[in-house]
């Protein structure tokens, strides 16, 4: 693709203040933030000369993605230009985007990902093995933003088939505050999600400037008046373990103790397991699905 073709303006752009313009503005800010966090040596580029700004230069991103400098500059300026999925894929790879960031990039660009990432590379084979070995107990890997990064088969009985959802909706906050299988089977969901909002707010303090966090917050506030009401309380709470009850169709009432196992030195990504509180639940858990 030639630089001129890559930088071709759209035929008819929206007026200022439209949702499309706001989305392009968010896309521009997102790209800048991702570019500025990458050191040249991370992508095999030599350190040449003194840099006035952190991270990569625009022309370096364009070089890595094999796109025109003018096109990438216009994209990062929020210009109304046509963006192909193939070029977005190249930009995502050049900027070392993780699965959530990649999904966010395509959402902001208004494009469909030709190769959606369904497996988080941070979920190592050993973590995957632990997840599977915990069956018949439900278990999942969740990050501090409540994105579900991986899960075992019994966990599907609690949240449904996540493969049917776009990546940006595979999030426990989203599932708790919008119609979902998770909300249907979680008996005490109205009280449980109060604590979820408090933990989400506490975790967001370290990520308030990150576009993916801001985008999720905006979506939740728009989609759920209940979330907005809880968000305005400004309650905060640290992570912890506890008890949850699920009424699973075809299985019965599960009384579970949930436990967080942190996968790093910081309180970020964690493995959550649900183990039975009583013998009845232990027996019923054997009836949970064995395959996704």
């Amino acid at each position: 693709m030639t630089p001129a073709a890559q930088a071709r303006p759209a035929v008819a752009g929206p007026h200022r203040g439209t949702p499309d313009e706001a989305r392009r503005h968010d896309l521009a800010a997102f790209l800048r933030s991702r570019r500025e966090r990458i050191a040249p040596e991370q992508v095999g580029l030599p350190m040449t000369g003194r840099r006035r700004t952190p991270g990569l230069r625009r022309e370096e991103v364009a070089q890595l993605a094999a796109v025109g400098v003018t096109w990438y500059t216009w994209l990062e300026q929020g210009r109304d230009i046509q963006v192909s999925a193939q070029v977005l894929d190249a930009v995502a790879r050049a900027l070392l985007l993780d699965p959530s960031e990649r999904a966010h990039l395509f959402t902001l660009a208004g494009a469909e990902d030709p190769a959606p990432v369904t497996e988080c590379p941070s979920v190592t084979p050993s973590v995957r093995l632990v997840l599977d070995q915990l069956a018949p107990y439900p278990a999942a890997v969740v990050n501090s933003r409540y994105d579900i990064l991986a899960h075992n088969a019994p966990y599907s009985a609690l949240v449904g088939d996540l493969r049917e959802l776009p990546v940006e909706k595979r999030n426990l906050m989203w599932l708790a505050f919008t119609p979902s299988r998770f909300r249907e089977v979680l008996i005490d969901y109205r009280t449980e999600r109060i604590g979820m909002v408090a933990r989400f707010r506490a975790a967001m303090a370290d990520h308030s400037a990150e576009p993916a966090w801001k985008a999720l917050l905006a979506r939740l506030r728009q989609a759920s008046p209940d979330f907005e009401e809880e968000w305005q309380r400004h309650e905060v709470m640290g992570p912890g373990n506890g008890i949850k009850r699920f009424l699973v169709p075809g299985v019965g009432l599960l009384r579970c103790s949930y436990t967080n196992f942190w996968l790093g030195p910081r309180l970020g990504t964690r493995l959550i397991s649900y183990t039975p509180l009583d013998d009845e639940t232990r027996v019923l858990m054997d009836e949970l699905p064995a395959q996704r």
Side-chain angles (χ1 to χ4, degrees), residues 2-156:
T2 66
Q6 293 166 357
R8 184 172 61 254
V11 175
H15 298 294
R16 286 190 60 84
T18 65
D20 281 349
E21 184 183 26
R23 188 173 63 183
R24 291 198 307 273
H25 176 78
D26 288 344
L27 174 60
F30 178 64
L31 289 172
R32 286 194 299 272
S33 70
R34 300 305 89 176
R35 172 172 60 84
E36 291 173 355
R37 73 176 180 176
I38 300 175
E41 57 267 26
Q42 288 181 263
V43 290
L45 294 177
M47 287 289 293
T48 56
R50 185 173 182 178
R51 293 175 178 258
R52 293 177 296 176
T53 57
L56 298 176
R57 300 185 176 102
R58 286 174 176 168
E59 56 268 28
E60 290 172 332
V61 176
Q63 174 189 341
L64 291 167
V67 300
V69 176
T70 298
W71 179 89
Y72 181 78
T73 299
W74 283 9
L75 185 66
E76 209 179 271
Q77 290 174 343
R79 301 270 193 109
D80 186 10
I81 59 175
Q82 293 177 345
V83 184
S84 73
Q86 290 74 20
V87 173
L88 285 173
D89 175 73
V91 170
R93 296 175 186 276
L95 293 176
L96 307 179
L97 300 188
D98 68 22
S100 295
E101 293 168 333
R102 179 187 173 96
H104 188 61
L105 170 67
F106 277 84
T107 298
L108 290 178
E112 184 176 350
D113 191 344
V117 180
T118 58
E119 186 73 18
C120 177
S122 65
V123 179
T124 63
S126 60
V127 171
R128 167 59 65 187
L129 180 61
V130 170
L131 276 176
D132 291 338
Q133 290 298 312
L134 284 172
Y137 302 151
V141 175
V142 179
N143 64 17
S144 56
R145 199 169 55 233
Y146 281 96
D147 294 326
I148 303 170
L149 306 181
H151 64 287
N152 63 9
Y155 191 77
S156 297

Side-chain angles (χ1 to χ4, degrees), residues 181-196:
R181 163 84 173 196
F182 180 65
R183 199 170 79 173
E184 290 173 359
V185 303
L186 181 59
I187 294 177
D188 307 303
Y189 80 90
R190 293 189 181 275
T191 55
E192 291 289 347
R193 62 190 188 180
I194 294 175
M196 292 177 67

